[in-house]
Amino acid sequence: MASEHSLFKDSDRDAFANLQTTRLNRLLRVATALTIVLGMSVLVQLLIPYRGYFPADLQDSVFLSAHRGHFHGWYRAAFYIHIVAGPIALVQGAALFFSGSRQKPTPSWHRVVGRVQASVVLLFLFPSGLVMAQYAMAGPTAEAAFTLLSLATAITMVMAIRNAMVGRMTRHRLWATRCFLLLCSPLLLRVVVGLTIVTGTETDFAHRLIAWTSWLVPWFLFEVGRKRHDVARSQTKTPRLHTA
């Protein structure tokens, strides 16, 4: 009787775990869809000012007018490289992120796009981001934030490449996801800065704070969520002892 009772308890526990997993997957699909819609809308808003970049409008463009004094030489080249490479890396990153699920076979084009993505990030986005970071409008604090963001983006990409080359695909997906989160940080930065403008709370301190939180907070939340998920999985896979 005790054995049958323990089996029933284990069966109920498994059924409850499966139900929770199903609900979580549904929530993740909804959240993913909403994130895509929000991300695309913010990306469009991010691209609208490009009308003032080709050619460079140093008078009416809010961003370029603030950098008028040094918009030449290395900064000018880095600026144009960055604003072209950024959206490309973001779109490619999204395609790689949603095609690299462990539940589905990886499509054949994933590796090809991944190589292009690595080149875009490491050869264009990273160095141009380093140059632009040294001229951040909010001062040294923001300069440090954007410099570390550029370095973190490059490091996560290198780690994703290294793990893919040796066949550690779980680790590869983990580092690639981290890199994608960092690539998405300009979208979050744009949203939060917009909120400060609308609410009348835009200050130099707010810009310095957003320069850090726009990429550190999502990364922190991702790591916390990943740890909790790993703990939950390990608990469901723990073998249960049945009493006779």
Side-chain angles (χ1 to χ4, degrees):
M1 289 297 292
S3 177
E4 291 179 3
H5 180 67
S6 64
L7 287 174
F8 278 123
K9 286 182 64 178
D10 290 345
S11 177
D12 291 343
R13 190 180 296 118
D14 290 339
F16 179 76
N18 290 334
L19 179 62
Q20 292 293 95
T21 301
T22 302
R23 289 176 177 174
L24 178 60
N25 288 335
R26 289 175 181 171
L27 288 174
L28 286 175
R29 283 195 291 268
V30 172
T32 298
L34 292 175
T35 301
I36 292 173
V37 172
L38 177 61
M40 291 304 297
S41 64
V42 175
L43 180 60
V44 170
Q45 293 296 319
L46 198 65
L47 294 176
I48 289 177
Y50 278 42
R51 294 175 297 182
Y53 300 159
F54 300 96
D57 185 354
L58 300 180
Q59 298 297 326
D60 297 328
S61 170
V62 175
F63 183 85
L64 293 186
S65 62
H67 293 275
R68 186 186 313 162
H70 49 261
F71 195 74
H72 53 78
W74 283 107
Y75 183 85
R76 182 186 179 95
F79 171 77
Y80 281 111
I81 291 172
H82 202 75
I83 66 171
V84 172
I88 293 174
L90 193 58
V91 172
Q92 287 186 155
L96 291 167
F97 176 76
F98 292 112
S99 66
S101 171
R102 70 179 69 187
Q103 281 80 27
K104 301 177 182 178
T106 302
S108 57
W109 53 264
H110 184 96
R111 181 176 296 182
V112 176
V113 176
R115 289 172 177 169
V116 176
Q117 178 75 340
S119 299
V120 170
V121 171
L122 296 178
L123 299 181
F124 299 100
L125 196 65
F126 164 57
S128 63
L130 278 182
V131 173
M132 292 187 65
Q134 311 315 308
Y135 300 90
M137 290 186 291
T141 303
E143 291 173 11
F146 293 132
T147 297
L148 289 177
L149 171 60
S150 296
L151 289 170
T153 303
I155 291 170
T156 53
M157 174 57 74
V158 169
M159 294 301 296
I161 295 170
R162 287 186 60 185
N163 281 282
M165 290 177 65
V166 296
R168 293 196 291 262
M169 301 315 295
T170 299
R171 302 293 299 175
H172 163 72
R173 280 189 290 266
L174 176 60
W175 283 103
T177 301
R178 287 169 174 154
C179 184
F180 180 59
L181 277 176
L182 297 177
L183 291 174
C184 290
S185 63
L187 300 182
L188 180 59
L189 183 145
R190 186 62 179 263
V191 170
V192 179
V193 169
L195 289 175
T196 63
I197 295 174
V198 171
T199 58
T201 56
E202 185 186 18
T203 62
D204 287 341
F205 174 76
H207 279 279
R208 290 192 291 269
L209 183 64
I210 295 168
W212 287 97
T213 56
S214 62
W215 61 280
L216 284 178
V217 170
W219 195 350
F220 173 76
L221 293 177
F222 168 72
E223 297 298 341
V224 171
R226 182 179 67 85
K227 288 293 185 182
R228 294 187 64 178
H229 179 263
D230 290 345
V231 170
R233 285 188 60 189
S234 65
Q235 289 177 347
T236 57
K237 289 183 178 181
T238 301
R240 304 181 183 93
L241 298 176
H242 303 292
T243 58

